[in-house]
Amino acid sequence: MATIRDVAKLADVSVSTVSLALSNPARVSQKTLEKIRQAIAAVGFVADPLAQSLARGRSRMIGFIVGNVGNPFFGDIRRELENYALDHQHFVVVTDSSGKTDRERAMVEHLIGLKTAGLALAPSGHDRDYIDFIAGLNLPIVCFDQKVAGIERDFVGSDNYLAGAMLTEHLLQLGHRRIAVITGPSHMHTATERYRGFADTMANAGVDINPNFVVDGQFTRTAGYEAAMRLLIQPERPTAILGTNNAVALSTLQAMQELGFRCPEDISLAMIDNVQWSSVITPRITMVVQDTLALGGIIARRLMHRITNPQGAVEPPQDFVLTPKFVPGNSCRRI
Amino acid sequence: MATIRDVAKLADVSVSTVSLALSNPARVSQKTLEKIRQAIAAVGFVADPLAQSLARGRSRMIGFIVGNVGNPFFGDIRRELENYALDHQHFVVVTDSSGKTDRERAMVEHLIGLKTAGLALAPSGHDRDYIDFIAGLNLPIVCFDQKVAGIERDFVGSDNYLAGAMLTEHLLQLGHRRIAVITGPSHMHTATERYRGFADTMANAGVDINPNFVVDGQFTRTAGYEAAMRLLIQPERPTAILGTNNAVALSTLQAMQELGFRCPEDISLAMIDNVQWSSVITPRITMVVQDTLALGGIIARRLMHRITNPQGAVEPPQDFVLTPKFVPGNSCRRI
DNA sequence: TTATCAAATCGAACCGGTTCGATAAAGCCT
DNA sequence: AGGCTTTATCGAACCGGTTCGATTTGATAA
């Protein structure tokens, strides 16, 4: 591999001039610029990113940290960020924390060690320790998906309250009153907001919520399945179920199928968030989906803005909350 | 951030001794080892991975390059690799080429620039140029999924011929004769092998293949959908369709639903590869799945072996081919 | 006591760039 | 021509580690 010294030697200039020519060509005369250009081509020089990062104290990498890269929601965002970053000479390093806070922390620390230019982070933690950790980081960070109280950073996400409210309203409109909800972890902002949207809408309609109809699905497949089962074996069953994320909703569908309940004939089902291949799942589930492409675009722009703009670092954090979209399916029937 | 020189100063030893103590404690006396240990703790020293990589000419990172990180197949493999690598003090950098050869190349070059210790690569290319590029790389590489003729590297994958043969045999057993197949790109090893398995099994059973029943689905959603449509609008329809990957098979199911064909009553469907939430898709599709966890484990072990073992680099490349598993569903009926 | 050898430690060069103050060259004005 | 800027280039220090040959220390043997 050719180094900058090889180039300098061949072009008969100093190393620092070559470096300058590369980083700020305007300050170098046309004549030497041309000599250097030729020398670079002749030896096939490519700057070593590692050496650059070490000297600059900053790399051209962006860290992307989520709990599950396989989740298409994160996948879409990743793609948008990657495209945008690539257009701006930055490289995205994707890491998966599997939703574990300690692992996420290890990964963030590793990324910091790599002197990444910035971080796009879907936070997995929520306690004091975690918040302090994030707060203590001294580099551009854009958080997304989970809004964590106490983290003073840019945040990009969807209106989860509205998501819960929209589907609840839809079910009420169809005549449902015995509506059950499968919730997510209470420490997650998305979970509490979606539930709030549900509860407020029910209250506004003057419909009481049956306490037995509120079960915790932890946003996971297994817990969601168990939660659904608990709902379905009750003597007085709900006429409709709202799954507050895709995992619990689809687990519910599975549970219903296994117990011989038809959807929507016996029980209606609505879900928040999309899922791959939702179009071939029978019935097509009525859902509220997030605009992942828009979210990804905003995250990318905001992060690159903070990275490339010198004064971007001191701009106060800002929240970007997008409106989710209602996508009707045929999993909810009128009663 | 504390540097190694801070530690050396505090412990009153030379910088090189500190470095030695860290990399090979046995060569340092107990006394100084202890002094250094305390100094490290006192200043909170953590070695800068960038500086280490630059000096060593090698980092503790492993590159993982696939065409679609969202694909659960790759997701499972990634997880296995990540766990194993983390246990061995290595960090996995995930990159997504979106299946584009030039993008993959750019990413590989970037990873090389990062002086990654090794690469786990699902190759996306197949032409001379690409093969030469991969062959020219001078670091441990384990290829997986696609076996590319001409690439002399370790390879980990499944017996795709068998996968095609198993499902074909299954359909034949059920009495099907008019079996259609939706194939993948002819330059992909998995695609050709799966088709070979189909064709040979048909031939062995003495069943002629209707040329109209062989359509190209490109392993993609859109092309698969179109291919399925071409099959389904023929006056003489197949009684069973073999989708040679999940995208084309599920697109076929979608096309069938849209045209009002019931599965399996009107047409049976079998597919190669799994998909997330397959258990809630109606009907549950009969499929042959790869043992992703085992694949990931082998990839991880093989790669780390080559990385950590000095003589591992010169070991001749080896192929690891696993047997896929038949998973019965209810998408194929006896006729 | 001194020669011998292994173990422990050190110094300096190196990895491949960046940065900034100093110097040299060129341009402008009186 | 002399003084004053501006522009172009350079040298050296630096980023934070590793590596290896050289030197010092300590123990053992003669």
Side-chain angles (χ1 to χ4, degrees), chain A residues 48 50 53-54 69 78 83 86 91 94-96 103 110 115 221 247 250 254 257 277 279-280 282, chain B residues 48 50 53-54 69 78 83 86 91 94-96 103 110 115 221 247 250 254 257 275 277 279-280 282:
Chain A
D48 182 331
L50 238 44
S53 303
L54 179 61
V69 281
R78 180 192 55 71
N83 289 337
L86 242 44
F91 183 83
V94 178
T95 61
D96 190 313
R103 193 149 180 175
H110 193 102
K115 304 202 169 43
R221 203 161 169 160
L250 290 175
Q254 185 175 353
Q257 288 172 352
W277 297 109
S279 58
V280 296
T282 313
Chain B
D48 182 332
L50 237 46
S53 302
L54 180 61
V69 282
R78 180 193 54 70
N83 289 337
L86 242 45
F91 183 82
V94 178
T95 61
D96 190 313
R103 192 146 179 180
H110 194 101
K115 303 202 172 39
R221 203 161 170 160
L250 290 176
Q254 185 174 355
Q257 288 172 352
V275 69
W277 297 108
S279 58
V280 295
T282 312

Side-chain angles (χ1 to χ4, degrees), chain A residues 50-89:
Chain A
L50 238 44
Q52 286 191 132
S53 303
L54 179 61
R56 288 200 181 121
R58 151 143 311 167
S59 78
R60 289 194 163 289
M61 291 187 278
I62 290 175
F64 180 78
I65 307 119
V66 296
N68 175 12
V69 281
N71 187 329
F73 171 70
F74 291 134
D76 284 349
I77 291 175
R78 180 192 55 71
R79 195 168 309 114
E80 288 299 303
L81 175 62
E82 213 154 61
N83 289 337
Y84 192 83
L86 242 44
D87 287 347
H88 292 73
Q89 286 75 254

Side-chain angles (χ1 to χ4, degrees), chain B residues 19-306:
Chain B
S19 180
L20 190 62
L22 256 28
S23 61
N24 196 348
R27 288 217 185 131
V28 176
S29 72
Q30 280 303 319
K31 202 173 40 169
T32 46
L33 213 51
E34 180 57 18
K35 277 198 301 183
I36 290 171
R37 212 192 48 67
Q38 289 185 3
I40 287 176
V43 301
F45 169 76
V46 179
D48 182 332
L50 237 46
Q52 287 190 133
S53 302
L54 180 61
R56 290 202 179 116
R58 150 146 313 165
S59 79
R60 287 194 163 288
M61 291 187 277
I62 289 175
F64 181 78
I65 307 118
V66 296
N68 176 12
V69 282
N71 187 329
F73 170 70
F74 291 134
D76 285 349
I77 291 175
R78 180 193 54 70
R79 196 168 309 116
E80 288 298 303
L81 175 62
E82 213 153 62
N83 289 337
Y84 192 82
L86 242 45
D87 287 345
H88 292 73
Q89 285 76 251
H90 280 253
F91 183 82
V92 177
V93 176
V94 178
T95 61
D96 190 313
S97 66
S98 304
K100 295 179 194 132
T101 307
D102 54 343
R103 192 146 179 180
E104 177 190 311
R105 191 166 173 151
M107 301 192 139
V108 168
E109 272 164 354
H110 194 101
L111 290 169
I112 302 271
L114 254 34
K115 303 202 172 39
T116 41
L119 257 38
L121 171 71
S124 73
H126 58 283
D127 60 12
R128 190 73 248 157
D129 210 42
Y130 179 79
I131 293 168
D132 289 345
F133 171 63
I134 302 297
L137 300 176
N138 184 30
L139 80 170
I141 298 181
V142 173
C143 292
F144 62 99
D145 190 35
Q146 292 299 331
K147 171 82 184 168
V148 178
I151 293 185
E152 303 287 327
R153 298 283 186 176
D154 288 324
F155 171 76
V156 181
S158 296
D159 189 336
N160 288 290
Y161 178 91
L162 185 58
M166 283 164 94
L167 287 178
T168 308
E169 183 64 39
H170 178 67
L171 291 170
L172 286 168
Q173 294 277 348
L174 290 176
H176 291 276
R177 290 299 175 269
R178 281 156 51 193
I179 306 176
V181 62
I182 303 186
T183 64
S186 57
H187 62 79
M188 281 197 185
H189 186 254
T190 49
T192 56
E193 283 296 289
R194 288 170 187 184
Y195 178 73
R196 272 210 318 122
F198 162 78
D200 282 5
T201 308
M202 291 287 272
N204 288 343
V207 179
D208 285 340
I209 299 173
N210 180 339
N212 291 332
F213 284 179
V214 179
V215 291
D216 182 6
Q218 288 291 321
F219 277 175
T220 67
R221 203 161 170 160
T222 49
Y225 180 83
E226 285 172 23
M229 280 297 181
R230 280 203 300 283
L231 278 180
L232 295 171
I233 59 172
Q234 295 182 22
E236 191 201 24
R237 279 189 306 276
T239 61
I241 298 177
L242 168 58
T244 55
N245 87 336
N246 48 19
V248 300
L250 290 176
S251 303
T252 302
L253 181 61
Q254 185 174 355
M256 283 166 61
Q257 288 172 352
E258 289 176 11
L259 294 181
F261 295 113
R262 289 161 307 162
C263 178
E265 292 80 357
D266 299 323
I267 300 173
S268 294
L269 178 65
M271 113 178 143
I272 297 179
D273 277 351
N274 204 342
V275 69
Q276 242 176 347
W277 297 108
S278 54
S279 58
V280 295
I281 292 174
T282 312
R284 279 201 338 280
I285 301 178
T286 294
M287 57 193 176
V288 162
V289 303
Q290 304 188 48
D291 189 344
T292 49
L293 267 49
L295 289 171
I298 295 175
I299 293 166
R301 268 162 251 279
R302 186 67 182 167
L303 188 54
M304 285 307 299
H305 171 73
R306 281 207 186 266

